Amino acid sequence: MDIFLSLFKYIVMSRIFWSITRIVITLSAVAIAAWVLYGMYKDYLIYPWTRDGQVSAQVIQITPRVTGPLIELPIKDNQWVKTGDLLFKIDPSDYQTQVDHAVSALENAKQAAFEARDVARRARKGHKAYSGIISEQKLVEAESNQRATHADMLAAKADLHGAKLNLGYTEMYAPVDGFITHLRLRNGSQAVTNQSLLALVDTETFWIDAFFKETLMENIQPGDKAIVKLMSYPDKPIEGVVDSIGWGVAQDDGSPGYLGLPTIEPSFDWIRLAQRIPVRVHLGKLPEGVVLRVGTTATVIILSGEQSKLAVDSDAMKVNNDKLKSDTAAFPHVPK
């Protein structure tokens, strides 16, 4: 009898235990699901977000100031260079000749100015001592010639300075630290004045341009914390901060059309597409292995009302620039 009673109690307690266990598991699963749903609700319904973001940076167009064939090109495509590195050298022969001519012209101008100054000095002295021999007109002519030759000397000095500048312009150096991109040059390529030869991406100026619907602008303020997920590295979110919000976008409606009349696109009253407003987001420290490339796609979430600890002018906003500079394995220099 005791054995049956003990067995009965064991069965009852087991059923109660498993019932409680199932209830706890169910409630836990519901709580976890609710927490996940709440997080998704905040991320996608409360917090402004957009998939329309892209990496941007200052891209410097390297433009020669003189014309001539390239004789030195110590760089290659996609190479990292530091400020002051030689990018290319234009044949300086013609410009050295101009300098030599300017030096000769300056020497001649100096000699002419010296002689005119001496003549004017003697004319002033003779006119003072022998006014009857050296007329007033001769004195004026001598002094005028002195001033003219002095002006010619100054012009020759300016020409020499300009010739030396042009000679210096035959060597182009990197103005900032950055990456050479889309290089399509080789020795012998012709450089033309004021025509861009190559592009240099400034590695200290990366930011994210995120384009949000105008209906979300109320919930975005400068200083808000942002989370950036690059399409290249979807599992490595980057913390950022809203730096500024654009003050305008181009308008198609109202632009001059045929006969100068305004062009107005037809629309329906029940369909109104929201404009996209650019929001600039500065980035903090990059996760290990993340490399920024201009034009790549990003998803941006703004945590409205949550102030970021990042400051726009802090060292953290340089997107881990030291790592980019020291990563010689991925971005080797061309041996000189």
Side-chain angles (χ1 to χ4, degrees), residues 7 10 24 31 38 48 57 70 99 128 134-135 137 157-158 187 192 194 205 216 242 256 278 298 317-318:
L7 181 61
Y10 173 76
V24 171
Y38 177 69
L70 301 184
V99 170
K128 184 176 181 181
I134 305 297
S135 66
Q137 181 178 355
K157 285 184 177 179
N187 284 340
V192 180
N194 295 329
T205 61
L216 303 175
V242 176
M317 308 311 293
K318 293 183 180 179

Side-chain angles (χ1 to χ4, degrees), residues 113 145-157:
N145 187 51
Q146 178 188 3
R147 289 190 291 270
T149 54
H150 180 71
D152 291 341
M153 182 183 67
L154 295 179
K157 285 184 177 179

Side-chain angles (χ1 to χ4, degrees), residues 103-178:
V103 169
S104 177
L106 179 59
E107 290 301 321
N108 291 334
K110 285 182 177 180
Q111 184 62 32
F114 174 78
E115 293 176 357
R117 185 169 62 250
D118 185 63
V119 170
R121 178 184 61 79
R122 287 187 281 109
R124 284 190 294 270
K125 184 176 180 181
H127 179 72
K128 184 176 181 181
Y130 310 101
S131 58
I133 299 176
I134 305 297
S135 66
E136 184 74 22
Q137 181 178 355
K138 292 292 185 181
L139 175 61
V140 170
E141 290 177 355
E143 290 181 340
S144 296
N145 187 51
Q146 178 188 3
R147 289 190 291 270
T149 54
H150 180 71
D152 291 341
M153 182 183 67
L154 295 179
K157 285 184 177 179
D159 290 341
L160 176 58
H161 180 66
K164 288 182 176 179
L165 284 177
N166 287 335
L167 180 60
Y169 293 150
T170 59
E171 295 183 354
M172 180 64 72
Y173 297 91
V176 297
D177 296 346

Side-chain angles (χ1 to χ4, degrees), residues 3 26 33 35 77 80 106 133 156 168 195 219-220 237 263 274 290 317:
I3 296 175
T26 303
W35 181 78
D77 197 16
W80 182 85
L106 179 59
I133 299 176
Q195 290 189 11
N219 297 322
I220 301 176
T263 300
V290 173
M317 308 311 293

